[in-house]
Coordinates of all heavy atoms in Angstrom, one line a residue:
M245 N 57.8 -48.5 217.4 CA 57.4 -49.7 217.9 C 57.2 -50.7 216.8 O 56.7 -50.4 215.7 CB 56.1 -49.6 218.6 CG 56.1 -48.8 220.0 SD 54.5 -48.8 220.8 CE 53.8 -47.4 219.9
A246 N 57.6 -51.9 217.0 CA 57.5 -53.0 216.0 C 56.1 -53.7 216.1 O 55.8 -54.4 215.2 CB 58.6 -54.0 216.2
Y247 N 55.4 -53.5 217.2 CA 54.2 -54.3 217.4 C 52.9 -53.4 217.2 O 51.8 -53.9 217.5 CB 54.2 -54.9 218.8 CG 54.5 -53.8 219.9 CD1 53.5 -53.0 220.4 CD2 55.8 -53.7 220.4 CE1 53.7 -52.1 221.4 CE2 56.0 -52.8 221.4 CZ 55.0 -51.9 221.9 OH 55.3 -51.0 222.8
D248 N 53.0 -52.2 216.7 CA 51.8 -51.4 216.6 C 51.2 -51.4 215.2 O 50.3 -50.6 214.9 CB 52.2 -49.9 216.9 CG 53.2 -49.3 216.0 OD1 53.7 -50.0 215.1 OD2 53.4 -48.1 216.1
F249 N 51.7 -52.3 214.3 CA 51.2 -52.4 213.0 C 51.3 -53.8 212.4 O 52.4 -54.4 212.5 CB 52.0 -51.4 212.1 CG 51.6 -51.3 210.7 CD1 50.5 -50.5 210.3 CD2 52.2 -52.0 209.7 CE1 50.1 -50.4 209.0 CE2 51.8 -51.9 208.4 CZ 50.8 -51.0 208.0
V250 N 50.3 -54.3 211.8 CA 50.3 -55.6 211.2 C 49.4 -55.5 210.0 O 48.4 -54.8 210.0 CB 49.7 -56.7 212.2 CG1 49.4 -58.0 211.4 CG2 50.6 -56.9 213.3
Q251 N 49.8 -56.2 208.9 CA 49.0 -56.3 207.7 C 48.8 -57.7 207.3 O 49.7 -58.5 207.5 CB 49.6 -55.5 206.5 CG 49.5 -54.0 206.6 CD 49.8 -53.4 205.2 OE1 50.6 -53.9 204.4 NE2 49.1 -52.3 204.9
N252 N 47.7 -58.0 206.8 CA 47.4 -59.3 206.2 C 46.9 -59.2 204.8 O 45.7 -59.1 204.6 CB 46.5 -60.2 207.1 CG 46.2 -61.5 206.4 OD1 46.9 -61.9 205.5 ND2 45.2 -62.2 206.9
R253 N 47.7 -59.0 203.9 CA 47.3 -58.8 202.5 C 46.7 -60.0 201.8 O 46.2 -59.9 200.7 CB 48.5 -58.2 201.7 CG 48.8 -56.8 202.1 CD 49.7 -56.1 201.1 NE 50.0 -54.8 201.5 CZ 50.0 -53.7 200.8 NH1 49.6 -53.8 199.5 NH2 50.3 -52.5 201.2
Q254 N 46.9 -61.1 202.5 CA 46.2 -62.4 202.0 C 44.8 -62.4 202.3 O 44.0 -63.2 201.7 CB 46.9 -63.6 202.6 CG 48.4 -63.6 202.4 CD 48.8 -63.5 200.9 OE1 48.3 -64.2 200.1 NE2 49.7 -62.6 200.7
C255 N 44.3 -61.6 203.2 CA 42.9 -61.5 203.6 C 42.1 -61.1 202.4 O 42.4 -60.2 201.7 CB 42.7 -60.5 204.7 SG 40.9 -60.3 205.1
E256 N 41.0 -61.9 202.1 CA 40.2 -61.6 201.0 C 39.5 -60.3 201.0 O 39.0 -59.8 200.0 CB 39.2 -62.7 200.8 CG 38.2 -62.8 201.9 CD 37.5 -64.2 201.9 OE1 36.6 -64.4 201.1 OE2 37.8 -65.0 202.7
Y257 N 39.4 -59.7 202.2 CA 38.8 -58.4 202.4 C 39.7 -57.2 202.4 O 39.3 -56.1 202.5 CB 37.9 -58.4 203.7 CG 36.9 -59.5 203.6 CD1 37.0 -60.6 204.5 CD2 35.8 -59.4 202.8 CE1 36.0 -61.6 204.5 CE2 34.8 -60.4 202.7 CZ 34.9 -61.5 203.6 OH 34.0 -62.5 203.5
F258 N 41.0 -57.5 202.4 CA 42.0 -56.4 202.5 C 41.9 -55.4 201.3 O 41.9 -55.9 200.2 CB 43.4 -56.9 202.6 CG 44.4 -55.8 202.8 CD1 44.8 -55.4 204.0 CD2 45.0 -55.2 201.7 CE1 45.7 -54.4 204.2 CE2 46.0 -54.2 201.8 CZ 46.3 -53.8 203.1
P259 N 41.9 -54.1 201.5 CA 41.6 -53.4 202.8 C 40.1 -53.4 203.0 O 39.4 -53.0 202.1 CB 42.2 -52.0 202.6 CG 42.1 -51.8 201.1 CD 42.1 -53.1 200.4
C260 N 39.7 -53.7 204.2 CA 38.3 -53.9 204.5 C 37.5 -52.6 204.6 O 36.3 -52.5 204.6 CB 38.0 -54.7 205.7 SG 38.8 -54.1 207.2
H261 N 38.2 -51.5 204.7 CA 37.6 -50.1 204.7 C 38.4 -49.3 203.7 O 39.6 -49.4 203.6 CB 37.7 -49.5 206.1 CG 36.9 -50.2 207.1 ND1 35.7 -49.9 207.6 CD2 37.2 -51.3 207.8 CE1 35.2 -50.7 208.5 NE2 36.2 -51.6 208.7
Q262 N 37.7 -48.4 203.1 CA 38.3 -47.5 202.1 C 38.7 -46.2 202.8 O 38.1 -45.8 203.8 CB 37.3 -47.2 201.0 CG 36.9 -48.4 200.2 CD 38.0 -49.3 199.7 OE1 38.9 -48.8 199.1 NE2 38.0 -50.6 200.0
G263 N 39.7 -45.5 202.2 CA 40.1 -44.2 202.7 C 41.5 -44.1 203.3 O 41.9 -43.0 203.6
L264 N 42.2 -45.2 203.3 CA 43.6 -45.1 203.7 C 44.5 -45.7 202.6 O 44.0 -46.7 202.0 CB 43.9 -45.9 205.0 CG 43.5 -45.3 206.3 CD1 43.8 -46.2 207.5 CD2 44.3 -44.0 206.5
P265 N 45.7 -45.2 202.4 CA 46.6 -45.9 201.5 C 46.8 -47.3 201.9 O 47.0 -47.6 203.1 CB 47.9 -45.1 201.5 CG 47.5 -43.8 202.1 CD 46.3 -44.0 203.0
A266 N 46.9 -48.3 201.0 CA 47.0 -49.7 201.4 C 48.3 -49.9 202.2 O 48.3 -50.7 203.2 CB 47.1 -50.6 200.1
D267 N 49.4 -49.2 201.9 CA 50.6 -49.4 202.7 C 50.5 -49.0 204.1 O 51.3 -49.5 205.0 CB 51.8 -48.6 202.0 CG 52.2 -49.3 200.7 OD1 51.9 -50.4 200.5 OD2 53.0 -48.6 200.0
S268 N 49.6 -48.2 204.5 CA 49.5 -47.7 205.9 C 48.2 -48.3 206.6 O 47.9 -47.9 207.7 CB 49.5 -46.2 206.0 OG 48.4 -45.6 205.3
F269 N 47.6 -49.2 205.9 CA 46.3 -49.8 206.5 C 46.7 -50.9 207.5 O 47.3 -51.9 207.1 CB 45.5 -50.4 205.4 CG 44.1 -50.8 205.9 CD1 43.0 -49.9 205.7 CD2 43.9 -52.0 206.5 CE1 41.8 -50.2 206.2 CE2 42.6 -52.4 206.9 CZ 41.5 -51.5 206.7
S270 N 46.4 -50.7 208.8 CA 46.7 -51.6 209.8 C 45.6 -52.6 210.1 O 44.4 -52.2 210.2 CB 47.1 -50.9 211.1 OG 47.3 -51.9 212.1
C271 N 45.9 -53.9 210.1 CA 44.9 -54.9 210.4 C 45.0 -55.4 211.9 O 44.3 -56.3 212.3 CB 45.2 -56.2 209.6 SG 45.2 -55.9 207.8
L272 N 45.8 -54.7 212.7 CA 46.1 -55.1 214.0 C 44.8 -55.2 214.8 O 44.6 -56.1 215.6 CB 47.0 -54.1 214.7 CG 47.4 -54.5 216.1 CD1 48.2 -55.8 216.2 CD2 48.3 -53.4 216.7
F273 N 43.9 -54.2 214.7 CA 42.7 -54.2 215.4 C 41.5 -54.6 214.6 O 40.4 -54.1 214.7 CB 42.4 -52.9 216.1 CG 43.4 -52.5 217.1 CD1 44.2 -51.4 217.0 CD2 43.6 -53.3 218.3 CE1 45.1 -51.0 218.0 CE2 44.5 -53.0 219.2 CZ 45.3 -51.8 219.1
C274 N 41.7 -55.6 213.7 CA 40.6 -56.2 213.0 C 39.6 -56.7 214.0 O 39.9 -57.3 215.0 CB 41.1 -57.4 212.1 SG 39.9 -58.1 211.1
Y275 N 38.3 -56.5 213.7 CA 37.3 -56.7 214.7 C 37.6 -55.7 215.9 O 38.2 -56.2 216.9 CB 37.1 -58.1 215.2 CG 36.5 -59.0 214.1 CD1 37.4 -59.7 213.2 CD2 35.2 -59.0 213.9 CE1 36.8 -60.4 212.2 CE2 34.6 -59.8 212.9 CZ 35.4 -60.5 212.1 OH 34.9 -61.3 211.1
C276 N 37.2 -54.5 215.8 CA 37.6 -53.5 216.7 C 37.3 -53.8 218.2 O 36.2 -54.2 218.5 CB 36.9 -52.2 216.4 SG 37.5 -50.8 217.4
P277 N 38.3 -53.8 219.0 CA 38.1 -54.2 220.4 C 37.2 -53.2 221.2 O 36.8 -53.5 222.3 CB 39.5 -54.2 221.0 CG 40.3 -53.3 220.2 CD 39.7 -53.4 218.8
L278 N 36.9 -52.0 220.5 CA 36.1 -51.0 221.2 C 34.6 -51.1 220.9 O 33.8 -50.3 221.3 CB 36.6 -49.6 220.9 CG 38.1 -49.4 221.1 CD1 38.5 -47.9 220.8 CD2 38.5 -49.7 222.6
Y279 N 34.3 -52.1 220.0 CA 32.9 -52.2 219.6 C 31.9 -52.2 220.8 O 30.9 -51.6 220.7 CB 32.7 -53.4 218.7 CG 31.4 -53.5 218.0 CD1 31.1 -52.8 216.8 CD2 30.3 -54.2 218.6 CE1 29.9 -52.9 216.2 CE2 29.1 -54.3 218.0 CZ 28.9 -53.6 216.8 OH 27.6 -53.7 216.2
A280 N 32.3 -53.0 221.8 CA 31.4 -53.2 223.0 C 31.1 -51.9 223.7 O 30.2 -51.8 224.6 CB 32.0 -54.2 223.9
L281 N 31.9 -50.8 223.4 CA 31.7 -49.6 224.2 C 30.5 -48.8 223.6 O 30.1 -47.7 224.1 CB 32.9 -48.7 224.1 CG 34.1 -49.2 224.9 CD1 35.3 -48.4 224.7 CD2 33.8 -49.3 226.4
G282 N 29.9 -49.3 222.6 CA 28.7 -48.7 222.0 C 29.0 -47.3 221.5 O 29.9 -47.0 220.8
E283 N 28.2 -46.3 222.0 CA 28.3 -44.9 221.6 C 29.6 -44.2 222.2 O 29.9 -43.1 221.9 CB 27.1 -44.1 222.0 CG 25.8 -44.6 221.3 CD 24.6 -43.9 221.8 OE1 24.1 -44.2 222.9 OE2 24.1 -43.0 221.0
N284 N 30.3 -44.9 223.1 CA 31.4 -44.3 223.8 C 32.8 -44.8 223.2 O 33.8 -44.6 223.9 CB 31.4 -44.6 225.3 CG 30.1 -44.0 225.9 OD1 29.7 -42.9 225.6 ND2 29.4 -44.8 226.7
C285 N 32.8 -45.4 222.0 CA 34.1 -45.9 221.5 C 35.0 -44.8 221.0 O 36.2 -45.0 220.8 CB 33.8 -46.9 220.4 SG 33.0 -46.2 218.9
G286 N 34.4 -43.7 220.6 CA 35.2 -42.6 220.0 C 35.4 -42.7 218.5 O 36.1 -41.8 218.0
G287 N 34.7 -43.6 217.9 CA 34.9 -43.8 216.4 C 33.8 -43.2 215.6 O 32.9 -42.5 216.2
S288 N 33.8 -43.4 214.3 CA 32.8 -42.8 213.4 C 31.8 -43.9 213.0 O 31.8 -44.4 211.9 CB 33.5 -42.3 212.2 OG 34.5 -41.4 212.5
F289 N 30.9 -44.2 214.0 CA 29.9 -45.2 213.7 C 28.6 -44.6 213.4 O 28.4 -43.4 213.5 CB 29.7 -46.1 215.0 CG 29.4 -45.3 216.2 CD1 28.1 -45.0 216.5 CD2 30.4 -44.8 217.0 CE1 27.8 -44.2 217.6 CE2 30.1 -44.0 218.1 CZ 28.8 -43.7 218.4
R290 N 27.7 -45.4 213.0 CA 26.3 -45.0 212.9 C 25.4 -46.2 213.4 O 26.0 -47.3 213.5 CB 25.9 -44.6 211.4 CG 25.9 -45.8 210.5 CD 25.4 -45.4 209.1 NE 25.2 -46.6 208.3 CZ 24.0 -47.2 208.2 NH1 22.9 -46.6 208.7 NH2 23.8 -48.3 207.5
Y291 N 24.2 -45.9 213.6 CA 23.3 -47.0 214.0 C 22.3 -47.2 212.8 O 21.8 -46.3 212.3 CB 22.6 -46.7 215.3 CG 23.4 -47.0 216.5 CD1 24.1 -46.0 217.1 CD2 23.5 -48.3 217.0 CE1 24.9 -46.3 218.2 CE2 24.3 -48.6 218.1 CZ 25.0 -47.6 218.7 OH 25.8 -47.9 219.8
T292 N 22.1 -48.5 212.5 CA 21.1 -48.8 211.5 C 19.7 -48.7 212.0 O 19.5 -48.5 213.3 CB 21.3 -50.3 211.0 OG1 20.9 -51.1 212.1 CG2 22.7 -50.6 210.5
A293 N 18.7 -48.7 211.2 CA 17.3 -48.6 211.6 C 17.0 -49.7 212.6 O 16.1 -49.5 213.4 CB 16.4 -48.7 210.4
D294 N 17.7 -50.8 212.5 CA 17.5 -51.9 213.5 C 18.2 -51.8 214.8 O 18.2 -52.7 215.6 CB 17.8 -53.3 212.8 CG 16.9 -53.6 211.6 OD1 15.8 -53.1 211.6 OD2 17.4 -54.3 210.7
G295 N 19.0 -50.7 214.9 CA 19.7 -50.5 216.1 C 21.1 -51.1 216.2 O 21.7 -51.2 217.2
I296 N 21.6 -51.6 215.0 CA 22.9 -52.2 215.0 C 24.0 -51.2 214.7 O 23.8 -50.3 213.9 CB 22.9 -53.3 213.8 CG1 21.8 -54.3 214.0 CG2 24.3 -53.9 213.7 CD1 21.9 -55.1 215.3
K297 N 25.0 -51.3 215.5 CA 26.1 -50.3 215.3 C 26.9 -50.7 214.1 O 27.4 -51.8 213.9 CB 27.0 -50.4 216.6 CG 28.2 -49.4 216.6 CD 28.9 -49.6 217.9 CE 30.2 -48.8 217.9 NZ 31.0 -49.0 219.2
D298 N 27.1 -49.8 213.2 CA 27.7 -50.0 211.9 C 29.0 -49.2 211.8 O 29.0 -47.9 211.9 CB 26.8 -49.5 210.8 CG 27.4 -49.6 209.4 OD1 28.5 -50.1 209.3 OD2 26.8 -49.0 208.5
C299 N 30.1 -49.9 211.7 CA 31.5 -49.2 211.8 C 32.1 -49.1 210.4 O 33.3 -48.9 210.2 CB 32.4 -50.0 212.7 SG 31.8 -50.2 214.3
S300 N 31.2 -49.3 209.3 CA 31.8 -49.4 208.0 C 32.6 -48.2 207.6 O 33.6 -48.3 206.8 CB 30.6 -49.5 207.0 OG 29.8 -50.6 207.2
N301 N 32.3 -47.0 208.1 CA 33.0 -45.8 207.7 C 34.1 -45.4 208.7 O 34.6 -44.3 208.6 CB 32.0 -44.6 207.5 CG 31.1 -44.9 206.3 OD1 31.5 -45.5 205.3 ND2 29.8 -44.6 206.4
C302 N 34.4 -46.2 209.6 CA 35.4 -45.8 210.7 C 36.8 -46.4 210.3 O 36.9 -47.6 210.1 CB 34.9 -46.3 212.0 SG 36.1 -45.8 213.3
L303 N 37.8 -45.5 210.4 CA 39.1 -45.9 210.1 C 40.0 -45.9 211.4 O 41.2 -46.2 211.3 CB 39.8 -45.0 209.0 CG 39.2 -45.3 207.6 CD1 39.7 -44.1 206.7 CD2 39.7 -46.6 207.1
R304 N 39.4 -45.5 212.5 CA 40.1 -45.3 213.7 C 41.1 -46.4 214.1 O 42.2 -46.2 214.3 CB 39.2 -44.9 214.8 CG 39.9 -44.5 216.1 CD 38.9 -44.0 217.1 NE 39.6 -43.4 218.2 CZ 39.4 -43.7 219.5 NH1 38.5 -44.6 219.8 NH2 40.1 -43.2 220.4
P305 N 40.6 -47.7 214.1 CA 41.5 -48.8 214.5 C 42.5 -49.2 213.4 O 43.4 -49.9 213.7 CB 40.5 -49.9 214.8 CG 39.3 -49.6 214.0 CD 39.2 -48.2 213.9
H306 N 42.3 -48.7 212.2 CA 43.2 -49.1 211.1 C 44.3 -48.1 210.9 O 45.1 -48.3 210.0 CB 42.3 -49.3 209.9 CG 41.3 -50.3 210.0 ND1 41.7 -51.7 210.1 CD2 40.0 -50.3 210.1 CE1 40.6 -52.4 210.3 NE2 39.5 -51.6 210.3
R307 N 44.3 -47.0 211.7 CA 45.4 -46.0 211.5 C 46.5 -46.4 212.5 O 46.3 -46.4 213.7 CB 44.9 -44.6 211.8 CG 43.9 -44.1 210.8 CD 43.5 -42.7 211.1 NE 42.4 -42.2 210.3 CZ 42.6 -41.7 209.1 NH1 43.8 -41.6 208.5 NH2 41.5 -41.3 208.4
R308 N 47.7 -46.6 212.1 CA 48.8 -47.0 212.9 C 49.0 -45.9 214.1 O 49.3 -46.3 215.2 CB 50.1 -47.0 212.1 CG 51.3 -47.5 212.9 CD 52.5 -47.7 212.0 NE 53.5 -48.5 212.7 CZ 54.5 -49.1 212.0 NH1 54.6 -49.0 210.7 NH2 55.4 -49.8 212.7
E309 N 48.8 -44.7 213.8 CA 49.0 -43.6 214.8 C 48.0 -43.7 215.9 O 48.2 -43.0 216.9 CB 49.1 -42.3 214.1 CG 47.8 -41.8 213.5 CD 47.7 -42.2 212.0 OE1 48.3 -43.2 211.6 OE2 47.0 -41.5 211.2
N310 N 47.0 -44.5 215.7 CA 45.9 -44.6 216.8 C 46.2 -45.7 217.7 O 45.4 -46.0 218.6 CB 44.5 -44.7 216.1 CG 44.1 -43.4 215.5 OD1 44.6 -42.4 215.8 ND2 43.0 -43.5 214.7
Y311 N 47.3 -46.4 217.6 CA 47.6 -47.6 218.4 C 47.5 -47.2 219.9 O 46.8 -47.9 220.7 CB 49.0 -48.1 218.1 CG 49.4 -49.3 219.0 CD1 48.9 -50.6 218.8 CD2 50.2 -49.0 220.1 CE1 49.2 -51.6 219.7 CE2 50.5 -50.0 221.0 CZ 50.1 -51.3 220.8 OH 50.4 -52.3 221.7
A312 N 48.1 -46.2 220.3 CA 48.2 -45.8 221.7 C 46.8 -45.4 222.2 O 46.4 -45.8 223.3 CB 49.2 -44.7 222.0
A313 N 46.0 -44.7 221.4 CA 44.7 -44.3 221.8 C 43.7 -45.5 222.0 O 42.9 -45.5 222.9 CB 44.1 -43.3 220.7
I314 N 43.8 -46.5 221.1 CA 43.0 -47.6 221.2 C 43.4 -48.4 222.5 O 42.5 -48.8 223.3 CB 43.2 -48.6 220.0 CG1 42.7 -47.9 218.7 CG2 42.4 -49.9 220.2 CD1 41.3 -47.7 218.5
C315 N 44.6 -48.5 222.7 CA 45.1 -49.2 224.0 C 44.6 -48.5 225.2 O 44.2 -49.1 226.2 CB 46.6 -49.4 224.0 SG 47.2 -50.6 222.8
E316 N 44.7 -47.2 225.2 CA 44.2 -46.4 226.3 C 42.7 -46.6 226.6 O 42.3 -46.7 227.7 CB 44.5 -44.9 226.0 CG 44.0 -43.9 227.1 CD 44.8 -44.0 228.4 OE1 45.9 -44.6 228.4 OE2 44.3 -43.6 229.4
K317 N 42.0 -46.7 225.5 CA 40.5 -46.9 225.6 C 40.2 -48.2 226.1 O 39.0 -48.5 226.6 CB 39.9 -46.6 224.2 CG 38.4 -46.3 224.2 CD 38.1 -44.9 224.7 CE 36.6 -44.6 224.5 NZ 36.2 -43.5 225.4
M318 N 41.1 -49.2 226.0 CA 40.8 -50.5 226.5 C 40.6 -50.5 228.0 O 40.0 -51.5 228.6 CB 42.0 -51.5 226.2 CG 42.0 -51.9 224.7 SD 40.5 -52.8 224.2 CE 40.6 -54.3 225.2
K319 N 41.0 -49.5 228.7 CA 40.7 -49.4 230.2 C 39.2 -49.4 230.4 O 38.7 -49.9 231.4 CB 41.3 -48.1 230.7 CG 42.8 -48.1 230.8 CD 43.4 -46.8 231.3 CE 44.9 -46.7 231.3 NZ 45.4 -45.4 231.6
D320 N 38.5 -48.8 229.5 CA 37.0 -48.7 229.6 C 36.4 -50.1 229.4 O 35.5 -50.5 230.1 CB 36.4 -47.8 228.6 CG 36.8 -46.3 228.8 OD1 37.4 -46.0 229.9 OD2 36.5 -45.5 227.9
I321 N 37.0 -50.9 228.5 CA 36.6 -52.3 228.3 C 36.9 -53.1 229.6 O 36.0 -53.9 230.0 CB 37.3 -52.9 227.1 CG1 36.9 -52.2 225.8 CG2 37.0 -54.4 227.0 CD1 35.5 -52.5 225.3
I322 N 38.1 -52.9 230.1 CA 38.4 -53.7 231.3 C 37.5 -53.3 232.5 O 37.0 -54.2 233.2 CB 39.9 -53.4 231.7 CG1 40.8 -54.0 230.7 CG2 40.2 -53.9 233.1 CD1 42.3 -53.5 230.7
E323 N 37.1 -52.1 232.6 CA 36.2 -51.6 233.6 C 34.8 -52.3 233.4 O 34.2 -52.8 234.3 CB 36.1 -50.1 233.5 CG 35.5 -49.5 234.8 CD 36.3 -49.7 236.0 OE1 37.6 -49.8 235.9 OE2 35.7 -49.9 237.1
M324 N 34.4 -52.3 232.1 CA 33.1 -53.0 231.8 C 33.1 -54.5 232.2 O 32.0 -55.0 232.6 CB 32.8 -52.9 230.3 CG 32.1 -51.7 229.8 SD 31.9 -51.8 228.0 CE 31.0 -53.3 227.8
A325 N 34.2 -55.1 232.0 CA 34.3 -56.5 232.2 C 34.5 -57.0 233.7 O 34.5 -58.1 234.0 CB 35.4 -57.1 231.3
K326 N 34.7 -56.0 234.5 CA 34.9 -56.3 235.9 C 33.8 -57.1 236.5 O 32.6 -56.9 236.1 CB 35.1 -55.0 236.8 CG 36.5 -54.5 236.8 CD 36.6 -53.3 237.8 CE 38.0 -52.8 237.9 NZ 38.0 -51.5 238.7
K327 N 34.1 -57.9 237.5 CA 33.1 -58.6 238.2 C 32.1 -57.6 238.9 O 32.6 -56.7 239.6 CB 33.7 -59.5 239.3 CG 32.7 -60.4 240.0 CD 33.4 -61.4 240.8 CE 32.5 -62.2 241.7 NZ 31.4 -62.8 241.0
Q328 N 30.9 -57.8 238.7 CA 29.9 -56.8 239.2 C 29.5 -57.3 240.6 O 29.4 -58.5 240.9 CB 28.7 -56.7 238.3 CG 28.9 -56.3 236.9 CD 29.5 -54.8 236.9 OE1 28.9 -53.9 237.5 NE2 30.6 -54.7 236.2
P329 N 29.3 -56.3 241.5 CA 28.9 -56.7 242.9 C 27.5 -57.3 242.8 O 26.7 -56.9 241.9 CB 28.8 -55.4 243.7 CG 29.0 -54.3 242.6 CD 29.5 -54.9 241.4
D330 N 27.2 -58.3 243.6 CA 25.9 -58.9 243.6 C 24.8 -57.9 243.8 O 24.9 -57.0 244.6 CB 25.7 -60.0 244.7 CG 26.6 -61.1 244.4 OD1 27.0 -61.4 243.2 OD2 27.0 -61.8 245.3
K331 N 23.8 -58.0 242.9 CA 22.6 -57.0 243.0 C 21.7 -57.5 244.1 O 21.5 -58.7 244.3 CB 21.9 -56.9 241.7 CG 22.7 -56.2 240.6 CD 22.0 -56.1 239.3 CE 22.9 -55.5 238.3 NZ 22.4 -55.6 236.9
K332 N 21.1 -56.6 244.8 CA 20.2 -57.0 245.9 C 18.8 -56.9 245.4 O 18.4 -56.3 244.5 CB 20.4 -56.1 247.1 CG 21.7 -56.2 247.7 CD 21.9 -55.3 248.9 CE 23.3 -55.5 249.4 NZ 23.7 -54.5 250.4
Ligands
SF4_200 S1 35.6 -49.4 214.4 FE1 35.4 -47.2 215.0 S2 33.2 -46.9 215.3 FE2 33.5 -49.1 215.4 S3 33.9 -49.6 217.5 FE3 35.9 -49.3 216.6 S4 36.3 -47.1 217.0 FE4 34.1 -47.4 217.3

């Protein structure tokens, strides 16, 4: 696929996470779309003492081979964003 990998080496933060060779570091999911899933994103997050989700050590969205898995997980985001029935 030609659309499963993007890099922006002009970004002042590239690569924003350590642990992958620069040539295979994907920027496609910069600002991970799964963040809103909280503990159910499937990534390697931690919570700070203030309760903030910290993704500093997660490479999941930056691995090209995870493209399909991230897209699959977007179904959960779509479900979250559905119009909620009026509460009584
Ligand atoms: S970067 Fe990793 S830990 Fe953070 S939301 Fe995405 S998958 Fe989850």
Side-chain angles (χ1 to χ4, degrees):
M245 288 182 280
Y247 51 81
D248 64 352
F249 184 81
V250 169
Q251 282 195 329
N252 178 13
R253 291 195 180 226
Q254 304 306 311
C255 175
E256 64 196 285
Y257 300 110
F258 183 89
C260 57
H261 296 260
Q262 302 305 311
L264 280 180
D267 285 346
S268 61
F269 190 95
S270 176
C271 303
L272 183 64
F273 294 120
C274 182
Y275 290 93
C276 183
L278 306 183
Y279 188 84
L281 292 175
E283 295 176 285
N284 299 317
C285 67
S288 303
F289 58 86
R290 71 177 189 95
Y291 279 96
T292 68
D294 294 334
I296 304 299
K297 184 177 171 183
D298 173 10
C299 304
S300 301
N301 294 322
C302 184
L303 289 169
R304 187 170 188 234
H306 298 293
R307 295 181 190 277
R308 184 175 197 161
E309 64 270 25
N310 287 345
Y311 174 81
I314 298 286
C315 290
E316 177 68 21
K317 200 75 176 157
M318 284 301 293
K319 291 176 183 172
D320 295 350
I321 295 286
I322 291 167
E323 198 62 35
M324 272 179 58
K326 272 187 180 172
K327 184 170 175 51
Q328 299 297 311
D330 292 336
K331 293 181 182 165
K332 295 179 182 169

